[in-house]
């Protein structure tokens, strides 16, 4: 079955949903995934759940399965990298595992196999985010770039795409009675190409250095630890423009670099001098105000560590100061960090960063 126009094995854009609310539509989606995996489910209801986004409220969604799939894939890759790299030290094994199960890597697998089209969902905003990311990945292929977990793509991978892969993995894992070896055999084809120590590269870092040399700008990376989390800042001409986090320092650096590249690719460089609308009565401003408090409530509700807020930059003369703040949230299995645009008040900058983090967490 052809799911959409393709380029080098990738769909050219997220097509309209292949499935609908009918049982027949979901049967088509389940059969498509079974053919892709080469695995027949004993309990197809697991796969139906794995293919249902939280925005589609008429059926159980993949949220519980995604939780299981994240852990199962982590264990599967732990076994794989341990057995295939007998001389590698623990730090390198951790880096290799993190690269293979990163949001970016799993999202690219979802794009490659057109999985988003199989999902029951009801979110036009999510559709637009996936479309933008898919087009960016396709541009890389058209330019002849290698497919890396942190490729030259300046568009942040939507978490929903990685969630789909993890949910499908969980459905397989549970259906085969938690057989980790069989899970790996079934899922490996979907996850190819597997990143090895030989193929792991820091392509975005090279891209950023090339950009700065070409535009005669200085670049510096600033690292700090917050608990067990590594946080990396990218400073261009002394200004913090990118930020990233991970339990692995190298991954934090790559995340920060991608964040910086995304901002530098903005034609109007709006992150440098545009203050978010926070005026009284403005709809967007009303949403942003109070975001820090909402984020703390969300952390308490889920028993996560309290959100960490920090002022990253202070620019301008005394009568016209501009502040940039960051907010970091560490969940049970991931971390989210956002950088605000410059604002005239620290409070507004923290709310703006919290609003971005909330948007990521609630997608």
């Amino acid at each position: 079955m052809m799911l959409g126009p393709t380029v080098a094995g990738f769909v050219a854009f997220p097509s309209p949903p292949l499935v609908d609310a009918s049982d027949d539509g979901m049967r088509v989606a389940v059969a498509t995934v079974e053919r892709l995996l080469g695995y027949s489910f004993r309990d197809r209801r697991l796969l139906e759940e794995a293919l249902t986004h939280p925005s589609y409220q008429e059926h159980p969604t993949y949220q519980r399965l995604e939780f299981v799939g994240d852990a199962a894939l982590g264990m599967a890759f732990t076994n794989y990298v341990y057995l295939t790299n007998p001389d590698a030290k623990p730090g390198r094994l951790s880096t290799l595992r993190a690269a293979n199960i990163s949001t970016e890597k799993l999202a690219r697998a979802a794009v490659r196999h057109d999985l988003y089209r199989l999902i029951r969902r009801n979110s036009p905003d999510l559709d637009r985010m996936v479309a933008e990311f898919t087009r960016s990945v396709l541009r890389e292929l058209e330019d002849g770039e290698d497919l890396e977990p942190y490729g030259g793509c300046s568009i942040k991978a939507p978490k929903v795409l990685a969630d789909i892969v993890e949910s499908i993995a969980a459905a397989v894992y549970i259906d085969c009675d938690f057989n980790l070896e069989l899970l790996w055999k079934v899922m490996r084809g979907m996850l190819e190409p597997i990143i090895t120590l030989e193929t792991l590269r820091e392509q975005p870092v090279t891209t950023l250095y090339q950009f700065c040399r070409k535009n005669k700008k200085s670049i510096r990376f600033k690292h700090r630890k917050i608990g067990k989390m590594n946080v990396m800042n990218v400073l261009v001409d002394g200004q913090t423009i990118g930020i990233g986090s991970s339990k692995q320092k190298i991954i934090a650096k790559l995340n920060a670099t991608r964040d910086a590249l995304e901002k530098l690719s903005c034609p109007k460089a709006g992150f440098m001098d545009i203050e978010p609308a926070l005026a009284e009565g403005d709809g967007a401003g009303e949403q942003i105000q109070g975001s820090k408090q909402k984020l703390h409530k969300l952390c308490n509700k889920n028993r996560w560590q309290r959100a960490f807020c920090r002022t990253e930059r202070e620019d301008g003369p005394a009568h016209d100061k501009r502040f940039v703040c960051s907010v970091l949230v560490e969940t049970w299995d991931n971390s989210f960090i956002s950088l605000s645009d410059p604002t005239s008040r620290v409070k507004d900058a923290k709310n703006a960063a919290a609003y971005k983090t909330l948007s990521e967490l609630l997608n």
Side-chain angles (χ1 to χ4, degrees), residues 106-122:
L106 297 182
R108 289 168 178 268
V111 171
R112 182 166 64 252
H113 297 292
D114 200 12
L115 296 180
Y116 187 69
R117 193 183 177 200
L118 305 177
I119 298 299
R120 289 190 289 205
R121 79 265 185 187
N122 184 23

Side-chain angles (χ1 to χ4, degrees), residues 41-51 65 167-168 170-176:
F41 280 80
R42 294 178 298 175
D43 184 357
R44 291 190 169 190
R45 290 173 299 179
L46 284 167
L47 193 50
E48 291 180 10
E49 187 174 326
L51 297 176
L65 288 175
S167 301
I168 291 173
V172 174
Y173 186 51
I174 296 169
D175 191 71
C176 70

Side-chain angles (χ1 to χ4, degrees), residues 217 236-237 239-241 263-264 266 268-275 313 315 322 324 340-343:
K217 295 179 179 291
V236 175
D237 284 348
Q239 292 190 338
T240 298
I241 65 165
K263 292 183 173 71
L264 289 169
C266 176
K268 296 181 180 179
F271 67 93
M272 298 293 289
D273 55 15
I274 295 177
E275 185 168 342
R313 197 173 84 223
D315 298 322
R322 288 291 185 271
V324 173
S340 74
D341 293 327
T343 70

Side-chain angles (χ1 to χ4, degrees), residues 184-204:
W184 177 244
K185 288 180 180 179
V186 172
M187 290 297 297
R188 177 168 179 170
M190 179 182 287
L191 301 172
E192 293 283 0
I194 303 299
I195 311 300
T196 66
L197 289 176
E198 291 72 29
T199 59
L200 181 63
R201 296 187 289 134
E202 295 187 24
Q203 185 184 23

Side-chain angles (χ1 to χ4, degrees), residues 160-173:
V160 61
L161 294 176
D163 290 346
I164 295 168
V165 177
E166 290 173 343
S167 301
I168 291 173
V172 174
Y173 186 51

Side-chain angles (χ1 to χ4, degrees), residues 23 42 52 78 84 113-114 173 188 198 222 243 285 328:
D23 291 339
R42 294 178 298 175
T52 304
T78 297
T84 55
H113 297 292
D114 200 12
Y173 186 51
R188 177 168 179 170
E198 291 72 29
K222 185 177 179 181
I243 192 165
L328 169 69

Side-chain angles (χ1 to χ4, degrees), residues 33-105:
V33 175
E34 285 185 322
R35 286 196 299 271
L36 173 64
L37 297 175
Y39 177 84
S40 295
F41 280 80
R42 294 178 298 175
D43 184 357
R44 291 190 169 190
R45 290 173 299 179
L46 284 167
L47 193 50
E48 291 180 10
E49 187 174 326
L51 297 176
T52 304
H53 184 262
S55 63
Y56 194 87
Q57 299 179 357
E58 288 79 3
H59 294 272
T61 71
Y62 64 54
Q63 289 174 307
R64 282 172 54 83
L65 288 175
E66 182 260 328
F67 169 77
V68 174
D70 176 67
L73 282 180
M75 278 301 300
F77 268 107
T78 297
N79 291 348
Y80 173 75
V81 299
Y82 177 81
L83 293 172
T84 55
N85 299 273
D87 299 323
K89 295 182 179 180
R92 296 297 287 168
L93 294 176
S94 295
T95 298
L96 196 55
R97 179 182 58 190
N100 273 291
I101 59 175
S102 68
T103 297
E104 176 89 7
K105 179 67 164 63

